[in-house]
Amino acid sequence: MARLNLLLLMAVIATSLYLVHTQYRSRQLYTELDRVQQEARRLDTDHDRLQVEKRAQATPLRVEKLAKEQLQMRTTTPAITQYVRPDGSVIPAVAPLPPVTPPKPAATSARGAAR
């Protein structure tokens, strides 16, 4: 009978030690889970902040300002636009204006008719 009691006592002690170990491990895992969830929340917050910054950096006005200031780009006009044909020849977008000749004064012809 003493052996059976001793065997049952050993079983109870082993079971209690296993229970303590399991509870300890459970607490460790819960602490790690909480830490990882906090890190996930922090990363989500950082991601949202970076998305807002990205949208702010990519506004059309800012892009145009940087293009003008840093890249010395300018807006296109028909006067500076050229089209290139498949054979390599260049065609201006706007046909050049013919040279302007000043009109003859009408007053000189009226004087000549009066004489």
Side-chain angles (χ1 to χ4, degrees):
M1 191 65 151
R3 285 188 172 177
L4 181 63
N5 286 340
L6 187 59
L7 183 63
L8 289 175
L9 179 63
M10 295 291 276
V12 168
I13 291 174
T15 305
S16 63
L17 287 176
Y18 179 73
L19 178 65
V20 168
H21 174 72
T22 303
Q23 286 178 342
Y24 175 73
R25 184 69 181 140
S26 174
R27 287 185 187 119
Q28 279 184 329
L29 290 173
Y30 182 76
T31 304
E32 186 178 345
L33 174 66
D34 188 48
R35 185 186 56 79
V36 169
Q37 285 176 341
Q38 286 177 354
E39 180 72 11
R41 283 191 295 272
R42 187 188 66 78
L43 289 174
D44 282 341
T45 304
D46 285 350
H47 180 264
D48 292 342
R49 181 183 52 82
L50 290 173
Q51 289 296 324
V52 168
E53 286 182 17
K54 179 181 169 184
R55 283 191 294 268
Q57 295 290 324
T59 60
L61 290 176
R62 184 175 185 284
V63 171
E64 185 176 347
K65 179 183 171 189
L66 289 175
K68 285 181 180 179
E69 292 175 0
Q70 293 180 1
L71 302 175
Q72 286 82 35
M73 296 178 87
R74 59 181 184 214
T75 56
T76 182
T77 62
I80 62 172
T81 304
Q82 296 181 343
Y83 297 104
V84 180
R85 291 184 177 157
D87 64 357
S89 61
V90 177
I91 308 167
V94 177
L97 296 173
V100 179
T101 56
K104 294 183 181 178
T108 56
S109 60
R111 281 190 213 156
R115 285 189 196 175

